[in-house]
Amino acid sequence: MNEVQRHNGILSLLDDNHAIKVSTIIETFNVSPATARRDLSKLDELGKLRKVRNGAERIETRKKVWSPLGPDNTEHYGEKTKIAAAAAGLCDRGDSVVINCGSTAFMLGQELCGEDIKIITNYFPLASYLIEQDHECVIITGGQYNKSKNIFLNPTPELTGTYAGNWMFTSGKGLTEQGLYKTDMLTAVAEQQMLEQVGKLVVVVDSSKIGQRSGMLFCTSSKIDILITGKNADQSVIASLRDKGIEVILV
């Protein structure tokens, strides 16, 4: 996570809380106390917040940085932030990446925003954020907008096949030795149309999902190249996945 992305994250925290403490920044973004205080000083100089003792306060006139999630409405927010940062670290300049729906996926999009990376998505909240933040290259996979899921669904697989990416990042409700599970069939089918068009499949799930079997089997473990999850994940499942040749990154 670079400085600009971290600053946006700090301002997002202030959108949901009138004030935040230095300790919150340290824990949420995994930075040193010196870095946290330096961030607050810079943002204070830019007039984007008001620095106070041991923290900062929101300036009410500041334009809101839009986000559908935050520490108060997203489970495992801190862990997902670290997962998203690790996922972003896999991408190189000029890459094309497919990012599907979900809170971790949105955080990954925030991490990549502003970088020289083509982002392909059918997740409307993420596409809206990237466009609002003037990301250089955003491709929205076509289809009918499904309001309840906030995604575009494409009934024609041939059209989806015209999009390709170096990476595909996806999440789910459970991950076992058998594979990744999703509970929503509409989003699962939309994502399955892209599986054969990407270089590597990366699963990004928080540690609570490891070992859980919930919903339909989205893909078998043989399709997964990399798993990024938290250090508290079930280690027996992690060992089994590694035995199957999956690269596991613990954050």
Side-chain angles (χ1 to χ4, degrees):
M1 178 180 293
N2 61 37
E3 183 181 88
V4 172
Q5 293 160 346
R6 195 169 61 248
H7 285 183
N8 284 336
I10 292 171
L11 296 176
S12 293
L13 288 176
L14 279 173
D15 282 331
D16 299 312
N17 305 274
H18 177 74
I20 57 173
K21 296 181 178 180
V22 170
S23 58
T24 301
I25 298 172
I26 295 170
E27 180 179 352
T28 303
F29 302 103
N30 193 28
V31 296
S32 68
T35 297
R37 292 189 176 90
R38 185 165 59 249
D39 285 342
L40 293 182
S41 294
K42 288 186 178 181
L43 290 169
D44 180 77
E45 291 173 3
L46 292 170
K48 295 185 176 182
L49 54 74
R50 182 179 298 104
K51 187 178 179 183
V52 297
R53 182 177 176 83
N54 295 323
E57 292 179 345
R58 180 175 62 209
I59 296 177
E60 299 298 337
T61 57
R62 189 182 65 80
K63 181 181 178 180
K64 182 178 177 66
V65 177
W66 182 84
S67 172
L69 49 87
D72 295 329
N73 61 7
T74 305
E75 292 184 338
H76 310 288
Y77 181 85
E79 183 176 289
K80 289 179 178 180
T81 299
K82 296 175 184 178
I83 291 171
L90 297 174
C91 304
D92 294 322
R93 289 175 57 86
D95 276 355
S96 296
V97 303
V98 177
I99 303 179
N100 296 314
C101 61
S103 56
T104 308
F106 187 89
M107 291 178 181
L108 172 57
Q110 288 181 310
E111 288 285 329
L112 296 177
C113 185
E115 302 293 337
D116 180 20
I117 289 176
K118 180 187 297 181
I119 298 178
I120 305 166
T121 187
N122 67 344
Y123 189 35
F124 183 67
L126 175 57
S128 297
Y129 172 85
L130 294 170
I131 293 169
E132 175 70 20
Q133 299 298 316
D134 296 322
H135 186 72
E136 185 67 25
C137 189
V138 183
I139 295 177
I140 304 173
T141 52
Q144 180 178 342
Y145 178 62
N146 183 288
K147 183 178 180 180
S148 65
K149 303 301 178 186
N150 278 320
I151 63 172
F152 292 93
L153 296 173
N154 180 16
T156 310
E158 290 78 9
L159 181 59
T160 305
T162 62
Y163 303 105
N166 303 96
W167 304 91
M168 178 173 174
F169 296 93
T170 193
S171 188
K173 290 296 183 181
L175 179 66
T176 69
E177 296 90 338
Q178 285 70 47
L180 178 66
Y181 291 82
K182 293 178 180 284
T183 55
D184 188 85
M185 187 174 294
L186 284 176
T187 57
V189 170
E191 292 177 24
Q192 283 175 333
Q193 294 175 359
M194 296 290 295
L195 276 177
E196 302 304 320
Q197 311 301 321
V198 297
K200 290 189 175 183
L201 176 63
V202 183
V203 173
V204 288
V205 292
D206 66 76
S207 57
S208 71
K209 307 294 195 310
I210 304 300
Q212 300 297 314
R213 183 182 290 106
S214 179
M216 64 174 284
L217 182 64
F218 169 74
C219 70
T220 61
S221 55
S222 63
K223 295 281 189 179
I224 302 171
D225 295 290
I226 301 174
L227 163 65
I228 307 177
T229 189
K231 294 178 180 179
N232 295 326
D234 187 319
Q235 293 303 304
S236 63
V237 178
I238 294 298
S240 296
L241 293 172
R242 281 178 167 150
D243 288 343
K244 290 178 178 290
I246 298 174
E247 178 184 349
V248 180
I249 300 173
L250 300 177
V251 298

